[in-house]
Amino acid sequence: MQAVQIDSTSALLILCAFGVAWLAWGWYLGRKNKTLDDFALAGRNVGFALATATAMATWITSNTTLVAPQLTLQFGVWGMLGYSMAALGLLLFAPLAERIRKLMPHGFTSGDFILARYGRAAWAVFIIISLCYALGWLVSLSMAGGLLLSALSDLSYLTGMTAILLICVGYTLMGGLRAVIATDFVQSIVIIIGVVVIAVVCINTVSFETLHTELSARQPELLNLLFPAAIMFFFNNVFFGIGEIFHSNVWWSRAFAFAPGIGRRSYFTAGLLWLPIPIVTGFVALAAVTLGVVPPSPDMVGPMVAAKLLGDIGAVFVFIVVFSALASSMDSLLAATSDLLTQDVFRKLLRPDSDDMSLLKASKVIIVLLGLATWLISLPKLATLGALLNFTGAFVASTIWPIVYGIFDRRLTGKWAALAMTLGTVSGLCGYFLVGFYVAAIVSCSVSLLVCRVGLARATTLFDWQQLQEAPRVLK
Amino acid sequence: MYLSELALTLIVVLALGITVCVPLYLLLQLCLDLKGKRLW
C-alpha cells in the first residue's frame, strides 16, 4: 500500500507560506542586530524559555522524525530507546554550559576554547572534526528535506532540498541567532503537537494489542530485548549523542548566548523534555507491519506511516512537522557553523586584524557560501540519513574526554588532547568499517579516554584558567 | 526474552504523557519571561 501524497501546487503553497513567514520574522528580529554579538550570539542575554526551547528544538532534528522510526524498524524497541538516550548529551552538557560561560565570558566558539586551552595542534584536529561533522549534519538535513518532499508530494527531491535550504539560509542571514532562537520556539511547539497527534491517531487506529500480536507473529526480533546489535546500538548512541553535543559549536554558541545563570537550567530542562520524543516518533514505525506500509527507504517509514494514518490532511500535517524539525536544526547549524568558520578560519587564520563589522560581514557571506556548498553536496543522494549520521560518530565521540578534561581538569595538555582525538577517530573508523556503525562511537570514545588518562598520568604542568578569560585570541 | 505488551504500552504512554506537557510548560515559561522582562 502507498501512503497518500499531496499535489505539487499544495506543497509549493505550504513552502511559500512558511518561507514568507519565517523570512519576515527573521527580518523583523534582525533589525535589532547592531553588533557581531547581536548577530552571532543574540546579545548574550537569552532568557530561560527561549533558551530551553531552542536547545530542545535544535536537538529535534529530521533525524528524530525520520531516523528514530528507521532505527525502530531496524532494531525494534532498542532503536527508539537508544535514540532517546541522545538526551543524555543535553543533560550532561548542562554543567559544562555553565562553566564555559564563566571561564570564557567573551568567547564565541568551541574553537576559541580549544585554541586557548590546548594550542594549535589540538585546535587543528578539533576544527577538522567539527567542520566534517557540521557539514555531514547539514547535508543529512538538506537530503532529508528533499526526501521528505519527494515522498510526501509530487515535488522532486531537488525542489524540496533547494526550497528548505533557501528558506533557512534566508532567515538566518536576516536575523542571525535571534531569528534562529525565536523561530525554534515556534517550531518546537509545532513539532511536538504534530508528533503527539500522529502517535495518538496511531494508538487509536492500531491498538497496542494488535500491534504487539502482529509484531510477535511477523517480526518478533523487533520486540527482542536480547538483540545483540540493538543493545550495542543503544550504548553506542549514548556516546554518540554526548560527543555530538559536547564538541559542536551549535551548543557552545548557545552556552555563550544564554544569559548568565541560564545555561545549566535550560540545557538540563531541555534534555528532560527531549527524552520521550524519540519514543513517541519511533513507536509509529512498529505499526508499519500492521498497516502494510513498505517504505522506499527505511528512513521514510515514519512519514509514510503517519501519512497513511492521517490521510489527505495527514500528508500536509506530516509535511509541516518534518519541515519544522528540519528548519529548527538547519538554521542553528548554519548560524553556528558560520560562527566557527568566521572566528576560527577567517579571523584566526586569514584576517587576524578584522574588526567587528568586517567579521559581521564575513559571517553573512559565509552563511550564503555554506548554504551553496550544502546544496552542491546534497545533489546526489550519497547515503541513507542514518548511515551518514552514524559515520560521524567516530569523529565526534573522540572529542568528549578532551573537552571534559579541558573544562574541569588543569592537567591535560594540548599534545595529549590532539593525540586522543586523532587516535579516537581512527580507531572509531576502524570499528565502523570492520564491525558496524553501531560500535564506531563506543570505540572512538574508549580509545580517546585511554589516551587522555595516560596524558593525565604523565602531566607535569597545570593550565592557568585565567588565560581563558582573555579568549578569543588569534593564531600568532 | 521479548518485551511484553504491558511494558510496551507503559513505555509509550509515559513518553506520550510527558511530551503532551512540553508545549504547555514552554508557553508558561515564555509568559513568565515576558512578564519579568527576561526574554532576551
Side-chain angles (χ1 to χ4, degrees):
Chain A
M1 273 192 253
Q2 289 298 307
V4 180
Q5 287 197 321
I6 52 178
D7 61 84
S8 54
T9 317
S10 307
L12 280 174
L13 274 175
I14 297 169
L15 279 177
C16 287
F18 269 93
V20 170
W22 291 149
L23 288 172
W25 205 12
W27 168 81
Y28 176 77
L29 291 163
R31 291 177 314 147
K32 292 180 181 174
N33 292 337
K34 305 289 179 212
T35 64
L36 184 64
D37 266 11
D38 287 339
F39 183 78
L41 298 174
R44 296 186 191 261
N45 202 30
V46 180
F48 179 73
L50 290 175
T52 306
T54 190
M56 202 186 65
T58 303
W59 209 215
I60 303 173
T61 66
S62 58
N63 298 320
T64 321
T65 49
L66 299 179
V67 180
Q70 172 190 346
L71 292 169
T72 309
L73 197 66
Q74 289 173 327
F75 294 126
V77 285
W78 281 120
M80 62 187 194
L81 292 176
Y83 202 101
S84 77
M85 284 301 108
L88 279 176
L90 286 173
L91 294 169
L92 295 175
F93 192 69
L96 272 71
E98 190 79 3
R99 187 151 166 83
I100 287 164
R101 187 78 166 82
K102 275 186 193 155
L103 286 174
M104 296 184 71
H106 309 294
F108 273 94
T109 67
S110 47
D112 286 341
F113 170 79
I114 297 290
L115 181 63
R117 174 67 181 82
Y118 289 131
R120 270 184 97 134
W123 172 81
V125 177
F126 181 81
I127 287 299
I128 292 169
I129 290 173
S130 277
L131 290 177
C132 283
Y133 167 79
L135 209 58
W137 192 9
L138 259 177
V139 171
S140 92
L141 287 172
S142 64
M143 275 170 51
L147 286 168
L148 157 78
L149 278 195
S150 57
L152 293 176
S153 74
D154 295 334
L155 292 179
S156 66
Y157 168 82
L158 180 65
T159 314
M161 190 261 288
T162 309
I164 282 175
L165 260 174
L166 268 179
I167 294 168
C168 290
V169 167
Y171 73 78
T172 307
L173 195 61
M174 287 198 269
L177 192 63
R178 222 181 274 274
V180 169
I181 288 175
T183 49
D184 275 2
F185 188 90
V186 180
Q187 284 157 352
S188 66
I189 305 280
V190 171
I191 296 163
I192 290 165
I193 292 174
V195 298
V196 165
V197 169
I198 292 166
V200 169
V201 173
C202 184
I203 292 168
N204 282 336
T205 312
V206 188
S207 66
F208 282 110
E209 191 185 352
T210 314
L211 194 143
H212 194 270
T213 310
E214 286 278 331
L215 278 178
S216 303
R218 292 159 67 178
Q219 280 188 291
E221 72 277 8
L222 296 184
L223 295 170
N224 186 359
L225 294 175
L226 300 175
F227 188 175
I231 296 170
M232 195 61 92
F233 163 77
F234 178 89
F235 289 106
N236 188 70
N237 215 44
V238 171
F239 293 107
F240 186 17
I242 295 171
E244 277 186 285
I245 289 189
F246 277 26
H247 93 284
S248 172
N249 194 49
V250 168
W251 312 100
W252 281 72
S253 65
R254 278 162 174 69
F256 293 124
F258 295 168
I262 294 293
R264 182 196 292 262
R265 265 200 313 145
S266 61
Y267 272 109
F268 193 77
T269 312
L272 288 180
L273 299 180
W274 189 90
L275 188 77
I277 294 172
I279 298 174
V280 177
T281 57
F283 152 75
V284 298
L286 295 176
V289 178
T290 313
L291 292 168
V293 170
V294 183
S297 62
D299 43 13
M300 285 314 298
V301 66
M304 289 192 71
V305 168
K308 171 83 183 167
L309 285 167
L310 297 165
D312 288 335
I313 301 292
V316 176
F317 196 68
V318 172
F319 181 91
I320 293 170
V321 168
V322 184
F323 174 82
S324 300
L326 284 163
S328 68
S329 305
M330 192 180 276
D331 58 6
S332 304
L333 201 52
L334 278 168
T337 311
S338 139
D339 291 347
L340 202 64
L341 286 167
T342 307
Q343 295 291 336
D344 288 272
V345 178
F346 182 80
R347 185 179 182 203
K348 290 189 178 72
L349 289 177
L350 305 175
R351 300 275 177 84
D353 302 323
S354 299
D355 59 14
D356 260 19
M357 290 324 284
S358 344
L359 290 172
L360 181 60
K361 202 180 285 177
S363 184
K364 292 183 177 183
V365 172
I366 287 169
I367 289 175
V368 176
L369 292 178
L370 206 53
L372 191 66
T374 306
W375 184 80
L376 286 171
I377 300 170
S378 303
L379 278 177
K381 285 183 274 182
L382 296 170
T384 69
L385 301 180
L388 185 68
L389 184 74
N390 283 302
F391 182 73
T392 59
F395 292 83
V396 300
S398 73
T399 64
I400 296 173
W401 294 109
I403 284 175
V404 171
Y405 285 123
I407 290 174
F408 292 106
D409 196 318
R410 297 199 291 162
R411 290 173 296 163
L412 194 68
T413 61
K415 183 181 76 177
W416 289 101
L419 199 63
M421 288 188 276
T422 310
L423 292 181
T425 301
V426 171
S427 53
L429 286 175
C430 290
Y432 181 93
F433 289 112
L434 297 175
V435 183
F437 78 83
Y438 45 84
V439 300
I442 293 180
V443 172
S444 171
C445 179
S446 308
V447 171
S448 171
L449 173 62
L450 196 69
V451 176
C452 284
R453 295 303 306 180
V454 174
L456 289 174
R458 297 172 65 92
T460 50
T461 56
L462 291 178
F463 180 76
D464 176 14
W465 295 123
Q466 196 57 35
Q467 288 183 42
L468 294 174
Q469 294 283 321
E470 295 145 25
R473 63 188 173 95
V474 294
L475 291 172
K476 295 281 190 306
Chain B
M1 189 180 169
Y2 293 92
L3 189 75
S4 68
E5 186 194 326
L6 180 66
L8 179 67
T9 308
L10 279 176
I11 291 169
V12 175
V13 169
L14 185 65
L16 196 56
I18 298 170
T19 309
V20 168
C21 300
V22 173
L24 302 172
Y25 177 77
L26 288 177
L27 287 169
L28 175 71
Q29 287 298 334
L30 186 75
C31 292
L32 291 174
D33 277 0
L34 275 170
K35 199 178 165 193
K37 295 183 177 168
R38 297 185 299 260
L39 201 58
W40 296 106

